Structures are given as C-alpha cells and as structure tokens.
Amino acid sequence: MASTPRSPSAPFNRLRRTLRLLYHGRSATAVRFQRAVLVVDLAIIAFFIAGPLLRDLPSYIWIDIAVAILLSCDIAARGLAAADVRRWLRQPTTLVDLFVLVTLLLPAWLANFGFLRILRLWTLSQSGFLWRPLRTRGYREWEETGRAIVNLVTFLFVVASFIFTFFAGPESGIEGYVDALYYTVTSVTTTGYGDITLPGVWGKVVAIVVMIVGISLFVRLAQSIFKPTKVYFPCPQCGLNRHDPDAVHCKACGHILNIPDSGAD
C-alpha cells in the first residue's frame, strides 16, 4: 500500500511548535533555553548602553554585525513561535525591536537614531522573560518594582544617548557620553548644578521634557517600593490577581476571598 505523502508544510509547522515550546514552555529544556536567551539579551543591552563609548574601537563594527545577526534570529524565532503572527507584528514591543534591528542593519543611514537601541531593555521587560526567574522563585511581589527600575534606567540611557548625539559640543559643555548621562541624572533629580546646559530653545524644551518625565518615573518607582505589599491570589469570580493581604472581599467584584495567611502556623 502506498504511503501517504507528507505535507510540504509539515517541517515548518514542526519548527513552529518546537519554538513555541522553547519560548513559552515550562519544561526543563525550555527553562534552560529561556535563561540562555535572557543572558544573550542582557549582553546585547549592555553593548547598546556602552555603544557610545566603544564606537572608536576597530572591533565595534564587527560586534555591531554580530548583534544584528543575533537579534535577527531572535526576532524571527519569536515570530515563528507566535500563535498569531499578524497580531504579534502589531505589538509595540515587536515594532520597537524591528526598528532597533533596522538601525543595526543600516548604521550609515540611521546613525542618529542609534540611541533608540536601548529601548530593547524596555521590550525585554514587557515580554516577561526578565521576570520569570522572580516568579518561579516566589518573589513575584518584586516584579512591579523591577519594572519601575527598568523603565527609569531605560529612560535615563535613551535620553543620555539622545543628548550626546544631538547636543554634544563645546557650547553645551557635553564633551562625552558620561557628560550627557551626568546632565540627564542631574536634570531628572532636579539637582540642576548648572555646570552643563543645553543651548538654544530646543535645548530648553528637551530639559523640560527630561525633568517632567524623569520625576514622574522616580515617583512611580517610589510608589512601587513604599506602597503596601499586595498578594497574588486570583479571584474565583473575576480573576483579579492582586489584593491586600487582609482582604476579605475582591475590590473589583465583591466576591468573598479566602487568601491563605502566610504567617499562620
């Protein structure tokens, strides 16, 4: 009896299933893979942060190419692992990652937009990869604080790179990347020593935006650290996850809760 011919799409579908299990699974193999991807992602982000200090090195272009290849493979694999590719392509994190990749592939044309590469840290935070170790080890309550820290750090380095790219020069007092980062931190914290200032009307506009957004992120970080701790207990009625430790009723739907007391014997 003749064997049934295999569909040409069978290997492709099998590849998609494998990638989906690796990126989203909870098996030992998937966890090891996800940890390896996280380490590579953090190394790439470290390269993006240090990029303005490394541009004059002869090896910089080769590292840039290697990062572009790694990021291309990761984005392609994540797209194949997505259940709905069109929906995945419309997500803001995917669009940011694709733009970062374009700046790597076309450095001669998009050199002035290289400062946006650091947004890769934000997309990594939004993907959940960064927080899975906290969740698996029972430290999920620190996730919100971690996200606030990542948002602030991302903002600081994006702004510092932007200022270094467009305002570095004798008239501003910014002679290097460290000067740009120093100006950003003093502006965000409203310290304002006045030893470095951005020239012109646009310099004042940038300073205003940095101070307003930066102080908002600082307040958000303070709130996540000092506000009362929430417990993660899904409401059987509406599914709300976060509640006060002594909550009796769900604040969203009023359903009676039975949150275990972690301090009980």
Side-chain angles (χ1 to χ4, degrees):
M1 186 174 67
S3 60
T4 304
R6 288 198 309 170
S7 171
S9 62
F12 178 75
N13 292 332
R14 186 164 56 250
L15 173 63
R16 291 194 65 187
R17 286 195 299 270
T18 301
L19 290 172
R20 194 171 295 124
L21 289 173
L22 288 174
Y23 274 96
H24 306 293
R26 292 294 182 267
S27 65
T29 301
V31 170
R32 287 194 295 269
F33 173 80
Q34 292 163 13
R35 288 176 179 173
V37 171
L38 178 59
V39 170
V40 173
D41 274 330
L42 292 176
I44 290 175
I45 291 167
F47 169 71
F48 288 160
I49 292 175
L53 302 175
L54 304 176
R55 286 176 183 171
D56 295 332
L57 296 179
S59 58
Y60 177 81
I61 185 63
W62 297 109
I63 300 175
D64 210 57
I65 293 172
V67 169
I69 294 173
L70 286 173
L71 195 56
S72 299
C73 294
D74 181 60
I75 292 175
R78 290 179 189 273
L80 291 173
D84 187 340
V85 178
R86 291 184 179 179
R87 181 180 178 185
W88 173 79
L89 284 172
R90 292 195 297 266
Q91 292 178 353
T93 53
T94 303
L95 295 175
V96 170
D97 281 342
L98 289 173
F99 181 80
V100 170
L101 178 60
V102 171
T103 65
L104 289 165
L105 296 176
L106 303 173
W109 290 273
L110 298 175
N112 286 340
F113 293 95
F115 67 93
L116 292 175
R117 294 177 180 179
I118 303 170
L119 288 174
R120 174 68 177 175
L121 178 59
W122 175 78
T123 63
L124 178 62
S125 172
Q126 297 300 310
S127 70
F129 258 54
L130 198 59
W131 315 116
R132 287 182 185 175
L134 289 179
R135 297 171 185 172
T136 56
R137 288 172 172 77
Y139 295 105
R140 189 168 184 173
E141 66 272 12
W142 289 100
E143 181 177 337
E144 186 174 352
T145 301
R147 288 180 182 273
I149 293 174
V150 167
N151 291 339
L152 179 59
V153 170
T154 302
F155 176 77
L156 290 177
F157 282 107
V158 167
V159 172
S161 299
F162 171 81
I163 291 174
F164 176 71
T165 301
F166 293 101
F167 288 96
E171 68 279 4
S172 65
I174 298 175
E175 299 178 359
Y177 183 69
V178 175
D179 291 333
L181 182 60
Y182 166 80
Y183 170 81
T184 304
V185 173
T186 56
S187 297
V188 167
T189 58
T190 66
T191 304
Y193 291 118
D195 50 345
I196 297 178
T197 56
L198 302 185
V201 175
W202 284 110
K204 294 178 180 179
V205 171
V206 170
I208 291 171
V209 173
V210 170
M211 285 185 281
I212 293 176
V213 177
I215 197 63
S216 300
L217 291 174
F218 261 121
V219 170
R220 179 63 181 144
L221 176 58
Q223 287 177 339
S224 66
I225 293 175
F226 297 109
K227 73 179 182 181
T229 304
K230 301 286 186 178
V231 296
Y232 288 86
F233 183 83
C235 172
Q237 183 75 18
C238 68
L240 184 68
N241 284 320
R242 302 182 70 240
H243 301 278
D244 294 325
D246 58 349
V248 177
H249 297 87
C250 175
K251 63 182 180 181
C253 67
H255 186 81
I256 296 177
L257 303 175
N258 186 19
I259 302 176
D261 185 358
S262 60
D265 293 331

